[in-house]
Structure formats: C-alpha cells, structure tokens
Amino acid sequence: MSINHPNFGNMADDRVIIFDTTLRDGEQSPGFSMNLTEKLRMAEALAELGVDVIEAGFPIASPGDFESVYEIARTIKGPVICGLSRSAPGDILRAAEAIRPAERRRIHTFISTSPLHMKYKLRMEPEQVLQAVVDSVSLARQHTDDVEWSAEDGSRTDLDFLCRCVEAAIKAGATTINIPDTVGYALPEDMHRIFKSVRDRVPGAERAIFSTHNHNDLGLAVANTLAAVAAGARQIECTINGIGERAGNAALEEVVMAVRTRPDAVPCKPGIVTERIMATSKLLATITGFDVQPNKAIVGRNAFAHESGIHQDGVLKNAATYEIMTPESVGLNKSSLVMGKHSGRAAFRDKLKTLGYGDLGDNKINDAFSRFKVLADRKKVVYDEDLVALVDDEIVRDHDRIKFVSLDVHAGSNRPAKAALELEIDGVVVAAEAAGDGPVDATFIAIQKCFPHEAKLLLFSVGAVTEGTDAQAKTTVRLEEGGKMVDGQGADTDTIVAATRAYVHALNKLLVKRARTEPEAMSA
Ligand code: KIV
Ligand code: ZN
C-alpha cells in the first residue's frame, strides 16, 4: 500500500518524512528565541540538511513569529514550509497567510484531546472538541491541500475518543495525523500500542500519514519515536540538538542516525544528508548560545572520542570495534588547518563554501575576511571551527544598530580594573571609560555608559572554540528587560573582547524585540 500525499506524491512504504520543529517547538523554550536573521540562517541550514518539512513558527503568536514564517516561506526553497495554528479560525487564517509565499506549504492545526486538557485547559466537552477538529481541518483545507492535524496530549487520550477524532480529521481532509506525547509521559510500548491500534481501527487511516512527536521528560523521546515508526508512523517530528519545551523534543540527529545505523531493525529511510548534521548542530549552538553536553549522542564533543587505552587500541586496529558509525558520516572531520595569514580572498571564499556557507555576498565576505586576517595574525593555527565562529558572528551582526569598535583594558592583582571602550551606535562612535571589579565588570559598566539601558545581566558564560591557550573564547551574555530575555554571543582570542561582543549582540537583540512591540522605543 502506498500513500498519495499532496506534497510528497506516492510514498514508498519505507519512506519517512523528517519534520523539523527547531524553529517552533525548539524556539519556544526559554532562552532559545531567535531573531529573523537567525531563523532564516537556521532554515537555510535545515534545507541543506535535507529535512522534508520545516515548521517555521506559530504565526498567530506575535507579529515577529508571523514575519519569520512569512520570510522563510518566501525565501527557503525545497522543504515544505509549515505554520502552526490552534483550532480557532483566526489562528488558521493567520497561518495560511504566513505560509502563502511558499512553493510547498502546510498548515498544522492542533487541539487537546485528553480528558485532563479538555476539562481544565479548554473547558470544552468532548463533542465540542470533535466539532472543532472538523471545523479547523475543513477551514485549513480551504487554504492548502497539505493539512496536518495533531491531538495534543494524544498519548494520554482515551483510545476510543482518539480514534473518533482521527477519523473525523481524515474525513475533513487532514493528510497527516500527529499523535504527540506532549508531556513526555509515554513508554515505548505505549507508543507502539497507540499507533498500531489507531491505524488498525480508524476507517480511512490508510489515506493519511501518521506522525510521531515526542517530548523528552523521561529521556524516552527517541525510543518512543522509534517505537511509533515500528508501528507504522511515517513522519518523525524532531529538533536539532533535541531542543524544545522543558526537557526538549526527540533529537533529529539521534533519530536519523539510529535509523541509518540499524536498517535491519527500523524499516525506513530518511532523506537526510547526514554529513551536514555536525555543522547544523554547531550553527544552532552558536545562534542560541547553548552548547550540547560533551557526552550528547552523535554531536557531543566526546561522542567519537576514545579515551581508554583498550578502546584506542581497538579503534586503531579496526574502527568498527568501538565505532558503530563513522565520524565522517555525521560530518565530523579532523580539524583541518584553514589557511595562513597570506591566504587570499578567493581561497577564503572557497573555504567558506566547503564549510556550508552558500553565497554570503561581497560585503559580508569582505568584513569576515578582514576579521580573518586579524585572527590569523594573532593565532598560530586557524581551524575550521574558528572560521565558523567568526562567520556566524559576522552574519548575526548584519543589521546591528550597536557595533563594537575597540576596547582597551588594564587589569591585574595590584590595581582596580579599567576599561576604555568605543562603540558605534547608529553610525556614531561613542566612547566611555570605567573602573570595575575585574576587567569584565569594568567593561560592562563602560557599555552601560556608552548605551544607557535598564536590562539586567542574568548569565555570563565563557567557553573555547578550539583547544590551546590561543583558542578563541566563545562567550554568551543573557539580558532581561521587562520580561523579555535575549542571549548574545561573541567570539575572539581576547576573552574580554568576546564578552563585549556578546553583550553588544544581546543589546541589539533587545532593541529588535523592543522595536517589534513598541516602535517608539527605538531611540533607546
Ligand atoms: O507537544 C505537542 O503536543 C505539540 C503540538 C502543538 C503538536 O507541540
Ligand atoms: Zn511539542
């Protein structure tokens, strides 16, 4: 039996759709919000990775969400672009408007179906919910042929009622049926039973693609995903690095590599370019400021590191002794020397292409090239990771109103730290000097003097881009203003300069947030 889907045509039995929700479920978790430029960069990377569907956002949630779904729909080619909506007509119409420019588009509409959610969250009777399923899917179908319907809290829904809702959704025109484990409560055997029962019992089930969406509250999101696939699910909803509400969603890289590594046990083939996994994971970490933990499967720093002598010896004799997949298959190549300070612009441009940056345009290449020259002068060895940090830094700062110009710091154990800082604010260079409790404190006070603001500093963290004492520092600064939280990132061989860049980046993000909600606040 094969399904004829409006966007995917006749699907072979072993085809599985990878539905990425990094920009929606992932982005809505605290601290992970991204601005428009960052979302577009991430969406481009997801398209290069080969995901089938990008859930670009929740258009009714805010004007900013609407704008980013619209821009992704307008500019990203390849994947189906999907907008999320609740069941209310206003939500659905807003989602339809946001995805309209996309070549291939989908509306994803959802409503809660569990007794707990219907009673306390929706305050609706089951029959009203059933009617809302029919109305919402029918309305969505008037705007696109590709409609996904989700039973929120599906894994805690009464099975008979779930079957009635799924049947109604398919009859109303839903082409994908998603049964989420919204609160991460299910065990793999629950997932298998639910998917098998619903697919066996619902008349017309063969006309829809069944989708699985799992949260990781018990650390079972990937296991539950694989259990649903074993029971016939042919769409997997997941996020890069497993980001998402609370403990996150099933991690794309883990699910995809599990399926790739065990074709004997998992009966499907995702169309992901696995060699792009590492670069996509790193890009997300750079944009959000959250690195994955070192022992994270597939993309953690230690995922392919062999420490014990016995393991190292085995791997040298035959890598398969302790490696179930090759580092190259996920895009992890040995750090390679990039170029020296005498390398030219053309070689630099070529190198960026091999690192997955398409055409950045002459201005960005020129700015990044100037920074590369400064870095190559200071640092003995420039690695791929250094270039990625530098270029990501350049890309995210594209539309910044506040720009870092220079910093001079005096610090030590015998005298108070002093910082002399220059920032360019709306094209005008502003300078300030400050003393403080250490060089970071002095610098942050100087930033406050150059650009007075009320934002509170919530977090300041420092990591290293590569190894060695001359490695670039990678810093994150989290600011909060009026309930709005933003993270800024910076990279530089000088830790204090990296901290300043991160602070300035966070301020720029705050200005964008302010402008979206209250345009008159742009004057700071
Ligand atoms: O977890 C969930 O139930 C969701 C739905 C909106 C699909 O994210
Ligand atoms: Zn979710």
Side-chain angles (χ1 to χ4, degrees):
M1 180 271 306
S2 70
I3 289 167
N4 195 359
H5 185 276
N7 267 319
F8 296 106
N10 267 325
M11 278 188 46
D13 284 353
D14 63 353
R15 169 88 160 88
V16 68
I17 293 170
I18 299 295
F19 175 109
D20 182 278
T21 184
T22 305
L23 296 174
R24 199 279 296 169
D25 215 328
E27 205 258 350
Q28 76 192 36
S29 55
F32 282 85
S33 60
M34 301 174 218
N35 64 28
L36 177 61
T37 320
E38 293 166 343
K39 284 187 187 172
L40 282 168
R41 178 73 192 108
M42 204 56 222
E44 249 170 55
L46 291 170
E48 282 163 24
L49 180 65
V51 308
D52 298 291
V53 184
I54 295 178
E55 187 164 53
F58 192 3
I60 194 83
S62 72
D65 266 61
F66 177 88
E67 188 191 6
S68 42
V69 178
Y70 187 87
E71 282 305 311
I72 290 171
R74 197 174 65 79
T75 54
I76 303 295
K77 306 292 170 219
V80 172
I81 306 301
C82 171
L84 181 70
S85 76
R86 291 165 298 190
S87 60
D91 272 46
I92 293 169
L93 296 179
R94 196 80 174 129
E97 210 182 320
I99 58 164
R100 185 152 301 129
E103 280 169 358
R104 302 163 76 211
R105 50 185 174 269
R106 171 181 297 189
I107 294 176
H108 175 191
T109 179
F110 72 98
I111 190 165
S112 292
T113 51
S114 68
L116 206 63
H117 277 221
M118 288 191 291
K119 182 166 177 196
Y120 293 103
K121 190 181 107 168
L122 299 178
R123 295 180 198 283
M124 282 167 81
E125 292 301 321
E127 294 311 311
Q128 292 174 296
V129 168
L130 200 56
Q131 190 56 50
V133 173
V134 175
D135 294 346
S136 57
V137 173
S138 308
L139 179 59
R141 271 304 298 256
Q142 290 172 25
H143 296 272
T144 168
D145 289 344
D146 186 343
V147 172
E148 172 169 340
W149 177 75
S150 281
E152 194 187 5
D153 208 15
S155 58
R156 294 193 299 171
T157 296
D158 169 75
L159 196 55
D160 289 337
F161 184 62
L162 183 61
C163 287
R164 287 180 66 205
C165 290
V166 169
E167 185 179 349
I170 294 173
K171 272 203 186 123
T175 42
T176 300
I177 298 292
N178 181 34
I179 308 177
D181 184 28
T182 303
V183 291
Y185 173 78
L187 303 181
E189 51 266 42
D190 298 326
M191 267 352 249
H192 192 278
R193 179 178 40 79
I194 293 169
F195 274 82
K196 182 158 179 5
S197 310
V198 175
R199 291 185 67 240
D200 283 349
R201 285 171 50 177
V202 169
E206 68 290 347
R207 295 204 304 274
I209 291 171
F210 277 77
S211 174
T212 180
H213 174 118
N214 298 292
H215 282 269
N216 206 28
D217 300 64
L218 294 174
L220 292 171
V222 171
N224 286 340
T225 301
L226 297 179
V229 170
R234 285 295 175 270
Q235 175 174 286
I236 293 174
E237 306 203 355
C238 47
T239 59
I240 302 296
N241 296 347
I243 70 170
E245 283 282 5
R246 305 180 310 280
N249 289 59
L252 178 148
E253 61 279 6
E254 294 179 21
V255 174
V256 166
M257 291 316 288
V259 171
R260 278 285 168 95
T261 308
R262 296 299 309 274
D264 56 318
V266 193
C268 60
K269 294 192 186 107
I272 293 292
V273 185
T274 60
E275 293 76 12
R276 296 286 316 149
I277 283 180
M278 200 55 91
T280 317
S281 160
K282 283 195 173 154
L283 176 65
L284 180 67
T286 303
I287 288 175
T288 59
F290 289 104
D291 277 338
V292 298
Q293 84 259 22
N295 62 327
K296 161 90 175 61
I298 317 296
V299 291
R301 200 172 57 234
N302 294 349
F304 291 90
H306 302 281
E307 183 71 22
S308 91
I310 295 174
H311 287 204
Q312 285 177 350
D313 183 52
V315 169
L316 285 176
K317 287 176 177 149
N318 181 340
T321 50
Y322 287 99
E323 275 179 6
I324 58 169
M325 55 201 151
T326 64
E328 290 77 19
S329 66
V330 300
L332 182 67
N333 300 310
K334 289 249 171 316
S335 286
S336 58
L337 182 62
V338 175
M339 295 162 288
K341 60 181 171 183
H342 301 297
S343 308
R345 204 174 301 259
F348 180 74
R349 191 187 286 266
D350 268 5
K351 184 71 194 179
L352 293 190
K353 281 208 180 117
T354 66
L355 289 174
Y357 295 98
D359 197 6
L360 291 176
D362 285 344
N363 287 349
K364 269 186 216 155
I365 296 267
N366 289 346
D367 291 349
F369 186 66
S370 311
R371 279 184 66 183
F372 159 70
K373 285 286 184 182
V374 175
L375 185 66
D377 255 342
R378 282 204 227 142
K379 206 170 176 292
K380 279 188 230 109
V381 184
V382 179
Y383 293 99
D384 287 355
E385 289 89 332
D386 290 312
L387 271 193
V388 169
L390 186 151
V391 174
D392 285 343
D393 207 54
E394 212 49 61
I395 289 171
V396 294
R397 271 145 196 70
D398 207 22
H399 304 291
D400 285 357
R401 283 181 55 198
I402 311 174
K403 294 193 169 92
F404 171 79
V405 178
S406 74
L407 177 69
D408 195 10
V409 172
H410 296 268
S413 55
N414 298 327
R415 55 183 170 165
K418 281 195 182 142
L421 174 71
E422 285 182 316
L423 297 180
E424 186 189 302
I425 302 170
D426 294 329
V428 179
V429 175
V430 181
E433 292 187 5
D437 190 5
V440 174
D441 188 44
T443 306
F444 286 1
I445 293 171
I447 295 177
Q448 176 68 248
K449 284 189 176 173
C450 288
F451 186 80
H453 57 276
E454 300 290 317
K456 270 204 247 68
L457 177 70
L458 296 187
L459 175 139
F460 169 54
S461 72
V462 184
V465 173
T466 56
E467 282 159 18
T469 49
D470 67 347
Q472 288 196 85
K474 194 167 83 175
T475 54
T476 298
V477 162
R478 180 174 299 165
L479 299 179
E480 190 264 340
E481 182 191 71
K484 297 187 190 85
M485 213 165 64
V486 288
D487 286 313
Q489 283 80 44
D492 199 278
T493 47
D494 184 311
T495 308
I496 313 300
V497 172
T500 313
R501 288 186 185 280
Y503 200 119
V504 167
H505 181 215
L507 278 179
N508 279 300
K509 282 174 121 180
L510 262 189
L511 289 184
V512 173
K513 283 211 168 192
R514 276 196 214 167
R516 279 199 191 137
T517 44
E518 38 182 313
E520 72 281 7
M522 282 300 282
S523 58

